[in-house]
Every structure is written in C-alpha cells, then in structure tokens.
Amino acid sequence: VISDPRVGTQVADEGKLNCMRIKLNSLFVDDQQKALDFYADILGFKKSQDLPVGEFRWLTVASPEGGDAELSLEPNVNPAAKTYQEALFEQGIPITAFEVDDLEYEFRRLSDLNVVFKTEPTNVGDVTIAVLVDTCGNLIQLYQPASE
C-alpha cells in the first residue's frame, strides 16, 4: 500500500484506489408516507427500499437514472433532529441539494404540480439555483451548473 497525495488516501499495490463513496444520505421528514409521495410522485425519484422497522420504515429513494446512491427518508422523532430541521427551515437553509439538467423546466413542471418555491431560479455565477418546500419540513435546493 502506498500513499497517493492526489486523493489523500491509500492505493493498493494493484493500483486500485481505496476511497470513500457517498452511497446513502438521510434527511428527516415529519411523515414518511407523505415524503415518499412527494419524492417519488412529484420530484420523480424511485422508491428503492421500503422495509418495516417497528412503527416506522427503512425508506429510501434513488435517482431514476440509476447509480447506487440512495436518500433515506428518516422519521423525525428525535427532539434534537426536529429542532435542527425546524431551525434550518426557519433560517431558509436547504437541508440538501439536487442537480437538474434544466432548472427552468423543473421549476415550471413542479410549479404546475403546486410545489411551493421559496426562491425562483436565480443565477449565482457558475450555477443557477431554486429552493422548494418538500411538504415534510425541509427546504430543498435544486441547482443547474452553468453550461461549459
């Protein structure tokens, strides 16, 4: 094993990088079914995992384009998590961001589905952003990188 300063990790002798990946991210939601309906039926993600776990569910969605990253829709039952979620919302801070190919199109499509936007598409340099309300206690940023 040798050090590779480009990635700050170890490279195995056969040349394969030993690096971390983001495979799962979570966000807290006030109602898992409402969240699934919004993230699947409105935003267009596909349901990936839906397993009963006591009174709640292990519930994840993923991009319809494939890949192995999933977003877990976690029940917001921990008081600390609820306080965190509410504080971010009140301060207008998105909990996460999703990249889109055409932000103007997504803005029109989602607006037609009665999605509430806190920020309409706004160019902020190398990216255009918009912020929507996910109906489950979160602000979500959509972004489109500038064309090259």
Side-chain angles (χ1 to χ4, degrees), residues 1 28 32 35 41 45 53 59 73 96 99 112 123 126 135 147:
V1 177
F28 292 105
Q32 286 185 296
D41 298 341
F45 291 103
V53 181
L59 182 59
L73 305 173
T96 195
E99 183 177 319
D112 288 347
N123 185 294
D126 290 338
T135 72
S147 301

Side-chain angles (χ1 to χ4, degrees), residues 2-147:
I2 58 172
S3 230
D4 185 340
R6 296 171 297 154
V7 293
T9 190
Q10 301 292 310
V11 178
D13 288 332
E14 56 275 0
K16 183 178 176 186
L17 286 179
N18 178 26
C19 54
M20 290 187 201
R21 290 167 211 66
I22 298 172
K23 296 264 190 166
L24 178 68
N25 197 357
S26 299
L27 60 86
F28 292 105
V29 297
D30 58 16
D31 180 300
Q32 286 185 296
Q33 186 57 53
K34 184 170 65 170
L36 178 60
D37 294 344
F38 183 81
Y39 283 84
D41 298 341
I42 303 296
L43 293 187
F45 291 103
K46 65 176 184 170
K47 181 170 65 173
S48 183
Q49 304 285 326
D50 189 355
L51 307 169
V53 181
E55 65 182 285
F56 301 108
R57 297 150 69 183
W58 173 251
L59 182 59
T60 65
V61 294
S63 170
E65 295 178 334
D68 54 4
E70 294 179 89
L71 179 66
S72 174
L73 305 173
E74 300 275 351
N76 192 2
V77 293
N78 181 307
K82 188 170 183 67
T83 298
Y84 171 72
Q85 180 190 33
E86 290 172 350
L88 287 179
F89 190 92
E90 289 171 14
Q91 293 176 39
I93 301 171
I95 192 80
T96 195
F98 303 130
E99 183 177 319
V100 297
D101 293 327
D102 184 340
L103 186 57
E104 286 293 334
Y105 168 80
E106 288 298 334
F107 175 74
R108 286 190 309 276
R109 181 182 76 81
L110 294 171
S111 294
D112 288 347
L113 293 171
N114 298 315
V115 172
V116 174
F117 279 83
K118 292 290 190 179
T119 305
E120 294 187 3
T122 304
N123 185 294
V124 291
D126 290 338
V127 66
T128 302
I129 64 169
V131 177
L132 61 85
V133 179
D134 77 351
T135 72
C136 307
N138 301 297
L139 297 176
I140 305 296
Q141 181 172 284
L142 303 180
Y143 70 94
Q144 177 185 347
S147 301

